[in-house]
């Protein structure tokens, strides 16, 4: 019962007000998590002796009323559910097929208080019907798990005396102004947040000393690779290095201004 106890204390506390409006008939977050666990158990497959492959992409069908309540909490609910899937997979020694995704679908055929889960294997090789950590607000133009880039500097911007290094992530450049920048999945612990369940809460730290930037693995579960090679401990980055954290890839630039991307 450890997992359910954690849900009652964490997930249920975080989203209780959104679901309490519906009274006893409203679906509860702990019931959604239980349905996800059941789907993993029912749909896991044996690939080798002692190794079970579990589905990692889930579409949760709920009634219109329950969907409206879930949508009010958006990525906060989806993030917690993704974390619970990862924890349950670890507890059962399941191997996940890829990045965990949980999406909600409004379904008129599902009664209030009920939940139906449609699990899938998604290794990232084909477009998925679900979106990581933002399934409850599909019309939104920004992902709340990834900090919005600052406006591009205009012609009146002050000229810098020295280059500022940066990380190019999905076409957006994030400047490394601080001496230390933590990259990870946690909003509370990371300075640069990645919406990728294969990334640890605190995955790496980037230490900047003038024009030198060192990458430090913070004991991440899935490790760090630079230009395809596994990194253990500390690594001095060079311009153009490709960094892979879990299933997320970024490009290090010694001077982000040369790319013409956002600061």
């Amino acid at each position: 019962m450890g997992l359910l106890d954690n849900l009652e204390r964490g997930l249920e506390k975080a989203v209780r007000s959104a679901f309490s409006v519906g009274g006893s008939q409203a679906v509860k977050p702990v019931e959604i998590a239980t349905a996800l666990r059941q789907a993993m158990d029912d749909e896991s497959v044996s690939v080798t002796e002692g190794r079970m492959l579990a589905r990692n992409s889930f579409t949760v069908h709920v009634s219109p009323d329950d969907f409206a309540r879930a949508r009010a909490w958006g990525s906060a609910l989806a993030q917690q559910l993704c974390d619970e899937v990862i924890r349950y997979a670890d507890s059962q020694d399941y191997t996940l097929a890829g990045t965990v995704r949980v999406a909600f679908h409004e379904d008129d055929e599902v009664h209030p208080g009920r939940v139906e889960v449609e699990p899938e294997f998604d290794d990232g090789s084909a477009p998925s019907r679900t979106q990581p950590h933002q399934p409850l607000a599909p019309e939104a133009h920004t992902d709340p798990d990834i900090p919005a880039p600052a406006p591009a500097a205009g012609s009146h911007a002050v000229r810098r005396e020295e280059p500022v290094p940066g990380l190019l992530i999905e076409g957006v450049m994030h400047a490394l102004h601080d001496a230390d920048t933590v990259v990870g999945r946690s909003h509370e612990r990371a300075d640069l947040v990645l919406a990728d369940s294969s990334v640890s809460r605190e995955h790496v730290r980037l230490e900047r000393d003038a024009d030198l930037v060192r990458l430090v693995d913070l004991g991440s579960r899935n490790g760090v690779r630079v230009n395809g090679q596994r990194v253990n401990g500390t690594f001095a980055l060079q311009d153009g290095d490709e960094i892979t954290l879990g299933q997320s890839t970024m490009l290090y630039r010694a001077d982000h201004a040369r790319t013409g991307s956002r600061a």
Side-chain angles (χ1 to χ4, degrees):
M1 293 295 291
L3 176 66
L4 294 182
D5 290 341
N6 288 335
L7 274 169
E8 292 289 353
R9 290 193 300 268
L11 175 59
E12 196 75 27
K13 179 180 178 181
V15 298
R16 184 182 297 121
S17 61
F19 286 85
S20 61
V21 178
S24 59
Q25 289 188 341
V27 67
K28 302 299 189 294
V30 68
E31 295 169 350
I32 300 172
T34 299
L36 293 174
R37 295 193 333 167
Q38 189 64 52
M40 294 174 69
D41 290 338
D42 292 344
E43 301 293 338
S44 62
V45 297
S46 177
V47 290
T48 60
E49 184 176 355
R51 179 170 177 250
M52 298 294 291
L53 183 65
R55 301 184 188 245
N56 61 301
S57 183
F58 306 89
T59 301
V60 180
H61 295 257
V62 293
S63 70
D65 287 344
D66 286 327
F67 181 81
R69 282 184 285 271
R71 189 172 188 174
W73 277 91
S75 62
L77 174 59
Q79 175 73 58
Q80 291 289 340
L81 290 172
C82 286
D83 288 347
E84 291 304 327
V85 168
I86 295 171
R87 279 192 282 269
Y88 186 65
D90 287 342
S91 71
Q92 300 300 308
D93 291 328
Y94 287 152
T95 298
L96 292 167
T99 299
V100 175
R101 296 177 171 88
V102 176
F104 281 68
H105 177 70
E106 183 177 0
D107 195 329
D108 293 332
E109 297 183 359
V110 177
H111 295 293
R114 299 291 300 274
V115 57
E116 296 182 7
V117 176
E118 181 183 355
E120 294 181 278
F121 287 118
D122 179 14
D123 61 1
S125 60
S128 174
R129 287 180 291 173
T130 60
Q131 297 295 323
H133 305 325
Q134 60 171 43
L136 303 181
E139 78 286 358
H141 297 292
T142 59
D143 186 339
D145 284 335
I146 301 178
S155 59
H156 62 282
V158 177
R159 185 175 182 180
R160 288 185 290 265
E161 295 182 356
E162 64 179 25
V164 176
L167 292 177
L168 184 63
I169 306 174
E170 295 184 350
V172 177
M173 182 63 71
H174 300 266
L176 302 175
H177 292 291
D178 298 330
D180 291 310
T181 301
V182 174
V183 183
R185 182 167 49 87
S186 171
H187 290 282
E188 293 77 18
R189 302 177 185 177
D191 303 302
L192 180 56
V193 181
L194 300 178
D196 182 348
S197 59
S198 66
V199 172
S200 297
R201 292 179 180 274
E202 295 176 278
H203 206 108
V204 297
R205 181 173 63 249
L206 298 173
E207 300 176 344
R208 182 189 173 197
D209 182 9
D211 59 350
L212 176 64
V213 175
R214 298 182 182 88
L215 181 148
V216 182
D217 186 356
L218 299 177
S220 60
R221 182 179 63 172
N222 291 322
V224 183
R225 294 183 181 274
V226 177
N227 301 325
Q229 299 298 314
R230 182 69 177 259
V231 170
N232 294 312
T234 302
F235 185 89
L237 294 172
Q238 297 184 8
D239 184 52
D241 280 345
E242 184 179 82
I243 306 167
T244 302
L245 312 182
Q247 296 188 27
S248 295
T249 300
M250 59 196 73
L251 186 69
Y252 171 73
R253 300 312 305 255
D255 181 6
H256 83 284
R258 292 194 295 108
T259 68
S261 299
R262 296 182 177 90

